[in-house]
């Protein structure tokens, strides 16, 4: 019988067993792939690209892949960023990404042939580029080398960047593809619906797209003699006005329709805001019908007068005659950018301060602040309604109307209030973001008016930090957001354009809109689309004193309110001749296009009393302690109007102050504020009858980015802080260090009116 067991092997080896070599598997090369948003597609890419970090050495350069999509250019690398200890992350953009709408100029270079070319759309490139330089609208300069990359691939990606960064049609902007994809696949991104107005903290920003938003604003300001008008519903009257706006109650819809034909762009008078004394702020375009001008002007002014409880006069301010125009502002901005970015500091340091003055940028900022403050005097002290008149009423009036309201109304100095102000006075009132931001590269209409407005707000924030809920980081990021082609907030010239263009796009893509008026684009006020909750805490100003703030005096809690009795005059004296205030001696003299000249025809007989009244108003205001929840006025002398360093110098490594700058004080105050919050929470917990466990979560929460480790936290300043925080200047073209030069002393806070010789001799 056969056995089922296998036979035992009989072979026996007398050789020593050989140790087999272990075959180590080849390491897998990590594939570098970009992170894409819905609707984003890669149009070209090139491998083995070197991103230049410094011009004098290549030891810090990064190697990776350069990708061009229909939304951004993206450099993907595994190399860690050198010399960088902190990273402020944007959820939409990678560390090395640049949105296409942020690109100002694309320059290709060939070292061998010593050629360079500025690339436009649909252009040909006759040489193989060895270098690509991207000049950005936010003052960045990004540089890539193609020494190891394929020449044809390098050429194709350069041409793709030039082509897609200069679209010829509005519907080619990425926001349309993004929103179209969202309608076909309605899942939210980062938990946010595309059309919301939330700030990521639970508070909703009114968008003023509905009747109810305007009605609430009327009630908030107590404008009882004004009403919401729906005569432009469906944009039947004017395509550059919102569907709903506010007009005097005495003006009938039929009269408005009749008058509208006489205004440029059919832009009828728009109510902006009401003072508690009844005076109103109104803006309107010029009347083009010369024959009807006097008649219509009189009827509009009479209607505004009847809406005032005291039937006060109406002051008309012609902004085109009093303020720099958009072309002058654009010219000043180009000079400022040339000074801050393009020109090497070592060639300009000796004449840098005079060059800054020659840009006229700070002069124009001062003129807007000054003019707005004069109109604040008319509204607040003289109880006079003010009408801001401008050719089309879509540029300078946005700026001045917003500044006046920030100075007068503390609500607009909160985050949600400020966002509602921009939505009301800029977005819905027809500011031409598409043209002024030059998203379609039509340079003849470009002007940085919105940036200058944010700069002016920063000047007020710098002078009165406790009056504003938001920080300068918030203002800077808000400016950056205008360069991201995703948010409908800063993408169009007017609401009608959004409805018209998005409806056409929806039809072409077979998107069912239902009852919606056009596609709903993401709102920039949905900050959680861009930043985590932790990073959004940098928006909050730790100096801010809200209305609910309280202090402890003699063991009892009292609301925070300074009065003349407990105010120390040594803290704040009256500036001599008001040189540090609104008016100086020269400004008491009559000047062309003076506001007061337009108040009454017989001004020459009343000039002395009027100037004395204005002088007294400003003198009294500056002699008293600041009411953080009342009127604030800017100081306008040369020492008080400063350059916004964080915004304009953040990408220049040589201009940074390591472990210094404004952020160090921000850090200390944040920690102190957090400690105060911890004490208040502990007090509430001590007095509360609820359990300890129920309050643990409250103690873990903080509204500050920099938090205290405990009530006795004495930790030093983090070593990653610099004057560019939270931005990192690493990754841009570096130049020779300016340490110890007059410019570096100016950046460190030296007085700008001193000569460079004096600064050089300072210790």
């Amino acid at each position: 019988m056969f056995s089922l067991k296998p036979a035992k092997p009989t072979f026996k080896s007398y050789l020593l067993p050989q140790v087999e070599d272990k075959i180590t598997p080849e390491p897998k090369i990590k594939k570098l792939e970009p992170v894409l948003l819905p609707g984003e597609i890669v149009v070209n890419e090139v491998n083995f690209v070197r991103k230049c970090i410094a011009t004098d050495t290549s030891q810090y350069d990064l190697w990776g892949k350069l990708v061009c999509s229909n939304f951004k250019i993206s450099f993907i690398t595994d190399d860690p960023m050198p010399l960088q200890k902190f990273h402020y992350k944007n959820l939409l953009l990678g560390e090395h990404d640049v949105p296409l709408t942020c690109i100002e100029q694309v320059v290709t270079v060939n070292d061998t042939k010593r050629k360079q070319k500025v690339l436009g759309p649909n252009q040909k490139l006759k040489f193989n580029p060895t270098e690509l330089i991207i000049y950005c609208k936010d003052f960045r300069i990004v540089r890539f080398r193609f020494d190891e990359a394929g020449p044809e691939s390098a050429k194709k990606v350069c041409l793709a960047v030039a082509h897609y960064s200069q679209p010829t049609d509005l519907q080619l902007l990425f926001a349309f593809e993004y929103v179209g994809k969202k309608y076909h696949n309605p899942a939210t991104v980062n938990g946010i619906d595309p059309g919301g107005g939330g700030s990521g903290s639970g508070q909703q920003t009114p968008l003023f797209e509905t009747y109810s938003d305007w009605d609430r604003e009327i009630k908030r300001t107590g404008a009882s003699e004004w009403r919401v008008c729906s005569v432009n519903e469906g944009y039947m009257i004017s395509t550059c006005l919102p569907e709903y706006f506010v007009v005097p109650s005495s003006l009938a819809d039929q009269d408005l329709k009749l008058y509208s034909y006489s205004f440029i762009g059919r832009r009828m008078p728009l109510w902006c805001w009401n003072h508690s004394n009844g005076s109103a702020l109104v803006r309107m375009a010029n009347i083009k019908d010369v024959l009807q001008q006097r008649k219509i002007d009189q009827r509009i002014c009479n209607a505004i007068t009847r809406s005032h409880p005291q039937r006060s006069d109406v002051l008309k301010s012609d902004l085109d005659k009093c303020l720099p125009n958009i072309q002058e502002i654009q010219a000043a901005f180009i000079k400022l950018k040339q000074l801050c970015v393009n020109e090497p500091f070592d060639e300009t340091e000796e004449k840098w301060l005079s060059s800054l003055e020659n840009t006229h940028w700070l002069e124009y900022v001062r003129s807007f602040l000054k003019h707005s403050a004069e109109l604040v005097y008319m509204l607040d002290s003289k109880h006079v309604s003010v009408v801001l008149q401008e050719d089309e009423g879509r540029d300078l009036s946005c700026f001045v109307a917003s500044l006046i309201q920030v100075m007068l109304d503390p609500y607009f100095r909160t985050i949600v209030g400020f966002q509602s102000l921009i939505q009301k006075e800029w977005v819905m009132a027809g500011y031409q973001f598409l043209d002024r931001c030059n998203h379609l590269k039509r340079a003849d209409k470009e002007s940085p008016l919105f940036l200058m407005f944010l700069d002016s707000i920063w000047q007020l924030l710098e002078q009165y930090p406790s009056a504003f809920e938001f920080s300068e980081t918030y203002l800077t990021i808000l400016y950056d957001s205008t360069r991201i082609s995703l948010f409908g907030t800063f993408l169009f010239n007017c609401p009608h354009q959004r409805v018209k263009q998005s409806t056409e796009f929806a039809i072409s893509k077979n998107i069912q809109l239902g009852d919606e008026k056009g596609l709903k684009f993401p709102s920039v006020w949905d900050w959680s689309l861009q930043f985590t909750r932790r990073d959004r805490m940098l928006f909050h100003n730790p100096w801010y004193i809200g209305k609910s703030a309280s202090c402890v005096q003699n063991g009892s809690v009292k609301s925070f309110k300074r009065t003349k009795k407990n105010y120390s005059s040594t803290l704040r004296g009256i500036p001599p001749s008001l040189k540090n205030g609104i008016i100086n001696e020269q400004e008491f003299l009559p000047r062309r296009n003076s506001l007061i000249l337009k108040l009454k025809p017989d001004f020459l007989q009343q000039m002395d009393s009027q100037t004395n009244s204005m002088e007294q108003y400003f003198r009294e205001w500056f002699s008293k302690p600041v009411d953080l929840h009342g009127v604030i006025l800017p100081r306008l002398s040369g020492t008080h109007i400063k350059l916004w360093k964080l915004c304009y110098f953040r990408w220049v490594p040589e201009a940074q102050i390591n472990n210094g700058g404004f952020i160090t004080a921000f850090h200390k105050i944040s920690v102190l504020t957090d400690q105060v919050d911890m004490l208040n929470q502990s007090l509430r917990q001590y007095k509360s009858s609820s359990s300890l466990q129920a309050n643990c979560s409250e103690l873990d929460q903080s509204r500050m980015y920099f938090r205290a480790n405990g009530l006795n936290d004495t930790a030093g300043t983090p070593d990653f802080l610099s004057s560019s925080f939270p931005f990192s200047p690493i990754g841009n073209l570096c130049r020779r260090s300016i340490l110890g030069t007059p410019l570096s002393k100016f950046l460190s806070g030296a007085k700008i009116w001193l000569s460079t010789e004096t600064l050089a001799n300072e210790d």
Side-chain angles (χ1 to χ4, degrees):
M1 296 186 59
F2 296 100
S3 173
L4 296 176
K5 294 181 180 180
K8 292 182 179 180
T10 59
F11 177 78
K12 186 176 182 180
S13 175
Y14 293 94
L15 296 175
L16 292 174
Q18 299 293 322
V19 179
E20 294 183 3
D21 294 334
K22 291 185 178 179
I23 301 174
T24 55
E26 293 184 4
K28 292 183 179 179
I29 299 175
K30 185 177 180 181
K31 197 172 182 181
L32 301 176
E33 294 294 342
V35 178
L36 302 177
L37 296 173
E40 185 178 4
I41 57 172
V42 173
V43 295
N44 224 302
E45 61 183 39
V46 57
N47 287 295
F48 309 112
V49 177
R50 180 158 54 94
K51 182 179 182 183
C52 302
I53 302 300
T55 55
D56 55 349
T57 178
S58 61
Q59 64 174 326
Y60 298 128
D61 289 355
L62 307 176
W63 288 89
K65 177 194 286 188
L66 181 62
V67 176
C68 176
S69 75
N70 58 341
F71 171 52
K72 63 180 183 284
I73 59 169
S74 182
F75 180 74
I76 312 158
T77 180
D78 279 339
D79 297 341
M81 179 71 91
L83 310 177
Q84 181 173 328
K85 300 177 181 178
F86 171 80
H87 178 51
Y88 187 58
K89 183 175 176 58
N90 189 308
L91 300 177
L92 298 175
L93 298 165
E95 191 170 6
H96 305 282
D97 294 354
V98 179
L100 293 176
T101 40
C102 189
I103 296 175
E104 182 173 44
Q105 198 173 70
V106 180
V107 179
T108 53
V109 180
N110 183 284
D111 294 337
T112 307
K113 298 183 178 181
R114 295 185 179 180
K115 290 183 178 181
Q116 72 174 36
K117 182 176 183 178
V118 178
L119 283 181
N122 301 317
Q123 285 189 345
K124 292 182 178 181
L125 190 57
K126 295 182 179 179
F127 58 82
N128 293 324
T130 58
E131 187 175 21
L132 172 66
I133 305 176
I134 305 291
Y135 292 88
C136 304
K137 295 179 180 179
D138 60 2
F139 289 29
R140 270 183 297 174
I141 303 175
V142 188
R143 187 167 150 237
F144 301 100
R145 295 283 304 180
F146 303 119
D147 299 313
E148 304 296 329
E152 284 300 319
S153 299
K155 180 188 289 188
K156 287 179 181 178
V157 82
C158 290
L159 291 172
V161 171
H163 178 75
Y164 282 89
S165 64
Q166 302 177 69
T168 56
D169 186 76
L170 175 58
Q171 294 182 26
L172 295 176
L173 293 175
F174 173 68
F176 284 86
E177 289 296 334
Y178 175 84
V179 174
K181 197 76 171 179
K182 297 303 295 178
Y183 272 84
H184 286 300
N185 181 20
T188 59
V189 174
N190 298 327
I192 293 296
D193 181 84
S199 61
S201 61
Q203 292 178 294
Q204 289 290 317
T205 299
L207 301 180
F208 291 96
E209 295 176 348
T210 62
Y211 184 101
S212 58
D213 282 347
W214 290 101
D215 190 53
R216 277 192 293 269
E217 185 67 5
I218 287 177
K219 292 174 181 175
R220 189 189 71 81
T221 58
S224 58
E225 297 298 321
W226 297 78
R227 67 180 180 89
V228 183
C229 170
S230 57
V231 69
N232 197 42
E233 200 166 25
Y235 306 100
M236 297 297 293
I237 301 295
S238 174
T239 57
C240 55
L241 283 178
E243 287 191 285
Y244 308 99
F245 52 92
V246 178
V247 297
S249 298
S250 58
L251 279 180
D253 286 357
Q254 195 60 35
D255 293 331
L256 289 171
K257 290 179 182 179
L258 185 63
Y259 299 156
S260 68
Y261 293 95
S262 301
F263 289 93
I264 294 177
R266 302 186 71 175
R267 289 180 62 88
M268 296 167 282
L270 299 174
W271 172 89
C272 301
W273 182 81
N274 243 64
H275 197 288
S276 57
N277 62 28
S279 55
L281 179 63
V282 182
R283 51 191 287 196
M284 70 178 187
N286 287 334
I287 300 173
K288 62 182 178 181
D289 191 338
V290 179
L291 299 176
Q292 296 290 323
Q293 184 174 6
R294 192 179 190 89
K295 175 184 175 183
I296 295 174
D297 201 40
Q298 189 64 43
R299 289 189 178 181
I300 296 295
C301 289
N302 287 342
I304 296 173
T305 298
R306 283 197 293 271
S307 69
H308 197 292
Q310 283 81 42
R311 302 296 189 264
S312 294
D313 293 332
V314 174
L315 167 70
K316 290 182 67 179
S317 173
D318 191 339
L319 302 182
D320 290 320
K321 296 179 180 178
C322 317
L323 294 168
N325 58 43
I326 59 172
Q327 290 80 17
E328 291 170 329
I329 294 172
Q330 173 68 359
F333 180 67
I334 292 173
K335 292 179 182 177
L336 178 68
K337 183 180 290 188
Q338 181 78 12
L339 181 64
C340 295
V341 177
N342 294 342
E343 292 190 9
F345 280 139
D346 56 345
E347 296 178 9
T348 59
E349 62 184 39
E350 293 183 359
K351 56 181 180 178
W352 199 88
L353 297 178
S354 59
S355 299
L356 174 62
E357 183 181 2
N358 291 336
T359 66
H360 301 297
W361 181 263
L362 296 183
E363 175 191 335
Y364 293 161
V365 170
R366 180 184 183 274
S367 64
F368 276 99
L369 286 167
K370 179 178 180 295
H371 190 77
S372 301
E374 290 176 348
L375 296 178
V376 165
Y377 158 73
M378 302 307 301
L379 286 158
D380 186 56
S381 178
K382 304 303 290 183
H383 298 192
V384 171
S385 292
V386 172
V387 175
L388 305 175
Q389 195 155 10
E390 184 188 5
D391 188 28
E392 292 186 11
R394 304 179 67 177
D395 286 297
L396 305 181
S397 59
C398 298
F399 195 153
V400 176
S402 300
L403 267 185
I404 290 172
Q405 291 172 73
V406 168
M407 292 180 191
L408 283 169
D409 194 335
Y411 169 68
F412 295 125
R413 303 196 282 266
T414 66
I415 292 177
V416 172
F418 187 69
Q419 292 176 172
S420 72
L421 177 69
I422 294 173
Q423 192 71 30
K424 174 168 67 84
E425 298 298 339
W426 295 78
V427 179
M428 299 308 296
Y431 179 71
Q432 301 171 85
F433 279 105
L434 180 68
D435 292 340
R436 300 297 180 245
C437 294
N438 202 15
H439 293 319
L440 300 182
K441 302 297 186 293
R442 296 167 183 170
D444 57 321
K445 296 183 179 181
E446 183 177 7
S447 186
L449 197 70
F450 186 67
L451 172 61
M452 184 170 279
F453 164 68
L454 295 180
D455 195 324
S456 301
I457 297 298
W458 177 82
Q459 304 290 340
L460 294 172
L461 171 63
E462 180 77 4
Q463 295 178 23
Y464 305 104
S466 297
F468 291 84
E469 186 184 15
F470 48 83
S471 66
E472 71 169 328
T473 298
Y474 168 82
L475 292 175
T476 309
I477 289 174
L478 181 57
Y479 165 61
D480 288 344
S481 298
T482 64
R483 307 299 184 187
I484 300 177
S485 59
L486 182 65
F487 308 109
T489 313
F490 302 132
L491 213 60
F492 303 98
N493 285 335
C494 58
H496 173 262
Q497 188 183 50
R498 176 187 66 81
V499 173
K500 181 176 182 293
Q501 292 284 338
S502 64
T503 302
E504 291 177 358
F505 182 82
I507 293 172
S508 67
K509 297 293 183 179
N510 197 26
I511 298 173
Q512 302 299 321
L513 291 176
D515 295 333
E516 292 183 17
K517 296 178 180 178
L519 298 172
K520 297 193 72 173
F521 292 84
S523 170
V524 75
W525 315 129
D526 291 333
W527 290 112
S528 56
L529 270 174
Q530 293 193 67
F531 303 104
T532 64
R533 181 180 176 274
R534 167 75 167 157
D535 284 346
R536 292 199 302 273
M537 289 177 183
L538 280 174
F539 293 178
H540 293 273
N541 175 17
W543 277 268
Y544 177 63
I545 299 176
K547 281 194 173 182
S548 59
S550 61
C551 63
V552 179
Q553 287 185 354
N554 300 327
S556 60
V557 178
K558 297 184 178 181
S559 60
F560 185 92
K561 185 179 181 182
R562 284 178 176 157
T563 62
K564 198 167 185 177
K565 292 181 181 179
N566 61 19
Y567 176 73
S568 172
S569 60
T570 60
L571 296 178
R572 182 178 180 182
I574 303 175
S577 302
L578 286 180
K579 287 183 180 179
N580 293 336
I582 292 294
I583 295 181
N584 56 34
E585 294 88 344
Q586 293 179 347
E587 288 156 11
F588 294 148
L589 301 175
R591 66 187 189 284
R592 193 182 68 153
N593 300 324
S594 170
L595 299 176
I596 310 301
L597 283 170
K598 296 188 176 75
L599 183 61
K600 293 181 180 295
D602 56 346
F603 171 76
L604 294 177
Q605 288 77 18
Q606 301 182 8
M607 185 182 66
D608 291 338
S609 62
Q610 290 291 347
T611 52
N612 289 337
S613 176
M614 184 181 286
E615 176 188 359
Q616 183 180 1
Y617 173 79
F618 292 122
R619 187 180 293 276
E620 287 181 355
W621 191 91
F622 281 104
S623 67
K624 295 177 182 178
V626 179
D627 179 5
L628 299 175
H629 306 291
V631 178
I632 60 171
L633 297 174
R635 293 180 177 274
L636 297 172
S637 69
T639 60
H640 290 107
I641 301 301
K642 304 176 182 178
L643 189 68
W644 189 5
K645 302 171 194 172
L646 180 66
C647 186
Y648 307 135
F649 282 156
R650 55 187 159 145
W651 309 121
V652 183
E654 306 91 330
Q656 305 314 317
I657 306 170
N658 292 327
N659 299 318
F662 178 80
I663 190 60
T664 55
F666 184 96
H667 165 256
K668 295 292 185 184
I669 294 295
S670 297
V671 171
L672 183 61
T673 302
D674 197 41
Q675 288 176 327
V676 172
D677 287 344
M678 291 168 65
L679 283 169
N680 285 331
Q681 290 170 7
S682 298
L683 280 172
R684 286 195 297 270
Q685 178 186 332
Y686 177 76
K687 294 179 180 180
S688 174
S689 58
S690 58
S691 64
L692 175 66
Q693 185 177 2
N695 289 276
C696 286
S697 60
E698 182 183 11
L699 291 171
D700 291 337
Q701 293 178 356
S702 173
R703 58 192 173 93
M704 294 293 110
Y705 183 86
F706 297 106
R707 303 174 183 178
N709 293 324
L711 295 178
N712 298 317
D713 184 13
T714 57
T717 303
D719 60 357
F720 58 75
L721 289 186
S722 75
S723 55
S724 68
F725 181 89
F727 309 97
S728 173
I730 303 301
N732 296 278
L733 295 177
C734 300
R735 293 169 289 265
R736 185 175 71 83
S737 174
I738 59 166
L739 189 62
T741 63
L743 176 59
S744 71
K745 296 197 174 189
F746 163 70
L747 294 172
S748 302
K751 297 178 176 62
I752 65 172
W753 65 82
L754 297 179
S755 66
T756 55
E757 291 79 13
T758 306
L759 287 170
N761 294 328
E762 279 188 354
D763 293 333

